[in-house]
Amino acid sequence: SFPTRRSSDLQFPTVIGAEVMVYNVPGIASGALVLDGPTIADIYMGKVGKWNDAAIKKLNPSLNLPDKPIFVVHRSDGSGTTFVFATYLSRVSGEWKSRVGAATSVDWPTGIGAKGNEGVAGNVAQSSGSIGYVEYAYAKQNHLKYARMIDKNGKTISPSIETFKAAAANADWDAAGKQNFYLILVDQPGDNSWPITATTYILMYKNPADPA
């Protein structure tokens, strides 16, 4: 559940983070795999079911992709991570938007659920052929392989502090400031903007009794 915002409160962004697609495919090193939004949406709708599917091969012509089923992992609990991920897929796939949509919990067309970022990370680590979405720190801490992605400009980029910062820098904060700083950072324009970037917020008093 989320706290109720009162008219005396202001929502303010505090931390920029990002989500990455993690995978466990034998023979495919971390960062070697490239994915784009429409292909990820098709994987999570069950339309792309094998690692050597034509859609993935088109993005990775130099990789020796195995004829192996894709084991899809998603969150089982309601989460902001799922909201950001599903919002991104809704932006890049009209079919995902109409069939599944975006919320903290969605009716997943395929895959198995795991609780928390740690649950998704653990399932991907243990399951050959798997794919999942986690906050970047979980991929790093668990030494999981993560994919590069194609940004809104069609450029292949890697997840990094620089590409997360680029997404934030290219966002329209002036417009957000007029809407209580409500801004979803996914699929931002500009060079090197990581496609699945997000921000966390704090609630603060607009006019605190003690500004210090």
Side-chain angles (χ1 to χ4, degrees):
S1 63
F2 295 93
T4 301
R5 188 179 68 82
R6 300 166 297 184
S7 60
S8 60
D9 295 338
L10 176 69
Q11 160 179 284
F12 194 80
T14 54
V15 178
I16 304 298
E19 297 174 25
V20 294
M21 303 306 302
V22 291
Y23 59 92
N24 181 348
V25 184
I28 307 298
S30 185
L33 183 71
V34 176
L35 295 171
D36 63 10
T39 302
I40 295 169
D42 283 348
I43 290 171
Y44 272 77
M45 285 190 290
K47 296 175 64 177
V48 171
K50 286 196 171 184
W51 282 106
N52 65 347
D53 186 277
I56 303 177
K57 289 174 70 174
K58 184 177 179 181
L59 297 171
N60 300 274
S62 64
L63 289 185
N64 183 23
L65 294 161
D67 182 14
K68 187 179 184 71
I70 299 175
F71 179 64
V72 174
V73 185
H74 56 74
R75 290 284 288 270
S76 59
D77 53 323
S79 70
T81 306
T82 289
F83 175 77
V84 170
F85 180 64
T87 298
Y88 171 66
L89 297 186
S90 293
R91 295 272 180 92
V92 297
S93 168
E95 186 176 0
W96 179 275
K97 183 177 181 179
S98 62
R99 280 186 57 189
V100 184
T104 54
S105 293
V106 299
D107 186 10
W108 297 100
T110 190
I112 68 151
K115 188 174 181 179
N117 279 288
E118 62 276 13
V120 174
N123 270 270
V124 172
Q126 297 167 16
S127 306
S128 180
S130 59
I131 189 170
Y133 61 95
V134 297
E135 202 276 325
Y136 179 64
Y138 284 84
K140 296 286 285 185
Q141 291 166 2
N142 291 278
H143 306 290
L144 296 174
K145 301 174 185 177
Y146 47 85
R148 289 180 293 156
M149 288 188 66
I150 297 177
D151 67 14
K152 195 176 181 72
N153 280 5
K155 183 179 178 181
T156 300
I157 61 175
S158 299
S160 68
I161 298 300
E162 288 69 31
T163 56
F164 306 159
K165 287 168 67 175
N170 288 319
D172 190 348
W173 290 103
D174 287 337
K178 298 170 185 175
Q179 302 179 64
N180 195 40
F181 284 102
Y182 183 73
L183 179 67
I184 300 175
L185 280 177
V186 301
D187 202 34
Q188 291 297 321
D191 288 336
N192 297 318
S193 294
W194 184 252
I196 321 179
T197 304
T199 183
T200 61
Y201 294 89
I202 60 170
L203 289 178
M204 54 195 296
Y205 290 116
K206 288 180 181 178
N207 300 293
D210 182 354

